[in-house]
Amino acid sequence: MVQIPKFYPITDCQLSNCTHEEIVQMMLAGGARLIQLRDKDSSAKELLDAARACLALTRPAGAKLIINDRVDVALTSGADGVHLGQEDLAVEEAREILGDDKIIGVSTHSLEQFKAALETSANYIAVGPIFPTKTKENADPVVGLDLVREARVITQKPLVAIGGIPVERAAEVIAAGADTVAVISALYPFDDISDFFTKPDVTGRVKAFLSVLEASDDA
């Protein structure tokens, strides 16, 4: 069974006013060792170029890079794995393409979907959105911590919680049974429009999450 860190930050160029490469550099400086490259708008070539640039940073740092959705980009770039949504390739289809040594994660939004994912070779299963989130258009209904608790009872497979999780509630999510907290928007907080012309302190935000999550080990 694959072991994954307690914190799983995800890149977002639109929210951050940064390139994926810049974001990954800041995440690594903050201590992140599992990073997801997420980009719904770039072309395949642009995403492949970004993946290769990010891998040039993660590999020397001993960190793993997961590609959101795009199995083709994960394969061609040599990334460490792929994260799949409910509308993407099935886990076993991705496994056939990527092989047994790659990490494959899958998002679920209900207990039914979670149980179906348990029947696959997915290395980890994500549940969410835990709290309301503005990151995704037409987001799935909030599942709260109840789905985390229900999922924990029926599996020892790594459980990733995602969706609107602020640093103040990260420990609560772990206490509910999640192994890992995945975060997007909380890494790029903007208070007003002027913030869009600056670069957020991603390194500081990563450190803040890691501090809370590491403290939860002693709680």
Side-chain angles (χ1 to χ4, degrees), residues 1-176:
M1 186 179 297
V2 68
Q3 298 294 316
I4 60 177
K6 280 194 171 184
F7 189 54
Y8 187 6
I10 300 172
T11 69
D12 192 305
C13 292
Q14 291 185 336
L15 290 177
S16 66
N17 193 33
C18 299
T19 65
H20 291 295
E21 190 174 2
E22 289 172 328
I23 299 169
V24 168
Q25 193 166 30
M26 289 188 282
M27 288 176 172
L28 292 172
R33 290 300 176 263
L34 177 68
I35 295 170
Q36 185 181 133
L37 193 161
R38 181 180 186 272
D39 192 322
K40 303 291 187 179
D41 300 314
S42 294
S43 67
K45 183 183 184 305
E46 290 170 333
L47 189 55
L48 179 59
D49 288 344
R52 286 171 168 161
C54 292
L55 282 165
L57 298 172
T58 57
R59 288 277 157 76
K64 296 187 182 301
L65 184 72
I66 306 298
I67 308 299
N68 180 273
D69 293 349
R70 299 296 297 268
V71 177
D72 55 340
V73 173
L75 176 67
T76 306
S77 67
D80 299 288
V82 68
H83 181 88
L84 303 170
Q86 289 293 311
E87 305 302 319
D88 297 323
L89 282 181
V91 170
E92 300 314 326
E93 292 172 332
R95 180 68 68 198
E96 186 174 349
I97 294 168
L98 296 177
D100 293 337
D101 62 332
K102 297 298 184 180
I103 298 171
I104 297 180
V106 61
S107 289
T108 64
H109 313 293
S110 68
L111 189 59
E112 181 181 14
Q113 290 179 359
F114 186 85
K115 288 179 177 178
L118 284 179
E119 301 301 317
T120 73
S121 64
N123 298 101
Y124 70 81
I125 304 175
V127 296
I130 305 301
F131 304 121
T133 176
K134 297 179 180 179
T135 302
K136 290 181 66 175
E137 295 183 8
N138 303 314
D140 292 280
V142 171
V143 300
L145 294 175
D146 287 342
L147 183 55
V148 176
R149 297 186 183 101
E150 291 174 324
R152 180 76 291 158
V153 170
I154 59 176
T155 188
Q156 293 301 310
K157 187 170 283 194
L159 181 59
V160 175
I162 186 170
I165 303 172
V167 66
E168 296 83 7
R169 302 195 70 176
E172 180 183 354
V173 174
I174 294 295

